[in-house]
Amino acid sequence: DVQLVESGGGSVEVGGSLNLSCSASGYEYSTNCMAWFRQAPGKEREGVAGIYNGRDKYYGDSVKGRATISQDKVKNMLYLQLTGLRPEDTAIYYCAADSAFTGGLCYGRFTRSGGDFDHWGQGTQVTVS
């Protein structure tokens, strides 16, 4: 199995930036497809950024140009940098991993807001004000 633990959440000023980290334990195969999702109160979960095999990257429309996802498979870490923070970025951010074996499957599951992802972290609150 895979266990995911997020860190780096907190309160950030408008216009600032944040850096989130996700520590993953488990088989490398289970972390080929990883992503960050977020969910604000009263809203559906949305994809923020995804990555397949450490190179193919996907970004949600609301964060394009402001987000950067990266992965260190040796250290079993996933990262998210988000700049130019806006109040609407306030949400609980989740790290997720999936066993998708092609980039197309990874992307497809990412665009479905992570409903098909196999593993999830507990989430970390980000508040922008």
Side-chain angles (χ1 to χ4, degrees):
D1 57 59
V2 175
Q3 290 185 311
L4 306 171
V5 181
E6 304 97 333
S7 62
S11 298
V12 190
E13 293 185 349
V14 174
S17 63
L18 67 84
N19 291 277
L20 301 181
S21 298
C22 173
S23 177
S25 62
Y27 296 110
E28 181 179 340
Y29 173 81
S30 298
T31 57
N32 284 343
C33 175
M34 300 194 73
W36 291 95
F37 297 88
R38 68 184 183 186
Q39 186 166 25
K43 297 183 179 180
E44 294 187 345
R45 183 173 60 205
E46 65 173 337
V48 178
I51 186 168
Y52 178 74
N53 275 348
R55 59 180 182 273
D56 297 328
K57 301 176 181 180
Y58 329 115
Y59 295 102
D61 290 340
S62 63
V63 299
K64 286 182 178 179
R66 300 190 296 124
T68 301
I69 187 172
S70 60
Q71 182 181 27
D72 186 333
K73 301 206 73 174
V74 174
K75 297 181 179 180
N76 293 319
M77 296 289 291
L78 182 74
Y79 306 98
L80 174 69
Q81 181 184 64
L82 187 60
T83 61
L85 291 171
R86 309 162 181 171
E88 52 264 41
D89 291 321
T90 296
I92 298 176
Y93 285 70
Y94 298 92
C95 172
D98 191 77
S99 58
F101 50 87
T102 68
L105 286 173
C106 184
Y107 176 71
R109 292 170 182 175
F110 172 75
T111 59
R112 290 192 289 273
S113 299
D116 296 330
F117 270 63
D118 296 329
H119 308 283
W120 295 82
Q122 80 287 351
T124 183
Q125 177 71 48
V126 173
T127 302
V128 183
S129 62

